Amino acid sequence: MARKNKPEIEGGCTCKYVRYRMEEAPLFVNCCHCTWCQRESGSAFALNAMIESDRLTQICGTIEKVHTPTNSGAGQQIFRCPQCRVALWSYYAGAGSLISFVRVGTLDAPQLFPPNIHIFTASKQPWVILPTDVPTVPEYYDRNMYWPKNAIERREKLLKENSSTI
């Protein structure tokens, strides 16, 4: 039975060994067009739904954490299925393990989470046509300008509760 005001947002890898649930709607969805995301995804962009890691529940399977270099030099931790190797979510250096960047394509209903913003569009593939009704920025963005108020409040609460671990 679905919890009141709590969406059932589940996903998993291709072989179905790993399954997970997002216990709440994501904070924000980034569509990143940087060349690093293009390389790592093997596609023209990466689509990530950001959510507090304590609201991401692994239902079954085990995951493999793979350290991957990033353009910043800080690296990221990509969590993959150890069997089919699909990337499920990542931790980036900025938020560390507090916020998970869930790969939207691994959700059972990815159509529910279109991008809230397109970032690093200066390096997007020229044949990718961006919608005119979604914000686009050439590089990164000021969170306070684009995130909804409730997402900013959730993030601030998370950072405050974990200030001693950051």
Side-chain angles (χ1 to χ4, degrees):
M1 184 169 147
R3 296 171 302 266
K4 189 175 182 178
N5 298 324
K6 298 284 185 174
E8 291 293 327
I9 309 165
E10 294 188 358
C13 64
T14 302
C15 73
K16 301 190 184 327
Y17 173 70
V18 177
R19 297 285 301 157
Y20 66 86
R21 178 183 308 112
M22 292 172 58
E23 303 293 346
E24 196 161 341
L27 295 161
F28 205 66
V29 180
N30 283 342
C31 185
C32 184
H33 297 267
C34 78
T35 56
W36 283 78
C37 281
Q38 290 177 37
R39 184 178 304 107
E40 289 170 7
S41 69
S43 185
F45 50 80
L47 190 58
N48 291 307
M50 292 177 271
I51 188 164
E52 300 92 325
S53 295
D54 63 359
R55 297 177 192 184
L56 180 64
T57 303
Q58 192 172 331
I59 299 169
C60 66
T62 58
I63 52 175
E64 177 181 48
K65 181 170 61 171
V66 179
H67 179 77
T68 306
T70 59
N71 196 31
S72 70
Q76 69 171 305
Q77 303 297 320
I78 300 179
F79 294 85
R80 296 180 174 274
C81 170
Q83 294 183 16
C84 67
R85 300 296 206 212
V86 165
L88 299 160
W89 63 83
S90 290
Y91 295 157
Y92 287 90
S97 62
L98 295 177
I99 296 179
S100 294
F101 287 66
V102 175
R103 301 299 192 275
V104 172
T106 66
L107 292 167
D108 295 343
Q111 71 278 8
L112 298 177
F113 300 100
N116 297 114
I117 194 167
H118 290 268
I119 62 175
F120 290 96
T121 59
S123 55
K124 79 170 187 61
Q125 292 299 314
W127 45 264
V128 172
I129 308 302
L130 299 177
T132 58
D133 61 340
V134 178
T136 63
V137 292
E139 292 186 11
Y140 202 66
Y141 60 95
D142 178 352
R143 183 178 305 106
N144 293 319
M145 288 180 57
Y146 294 99
W147 282 31
K149 183 180 178 186
N150 71 327
I152 291 170
E153 290 169 354
R154 282 170 55 188
R155 181 181 177 276
E156 287 174 355
K157 180 181 177 193
L158 177 70
L159 295 176
K160 183 178 179 182
E161 290 172 350
N162 293 280
S163 62
S164 63
T165 62
I166 300 177

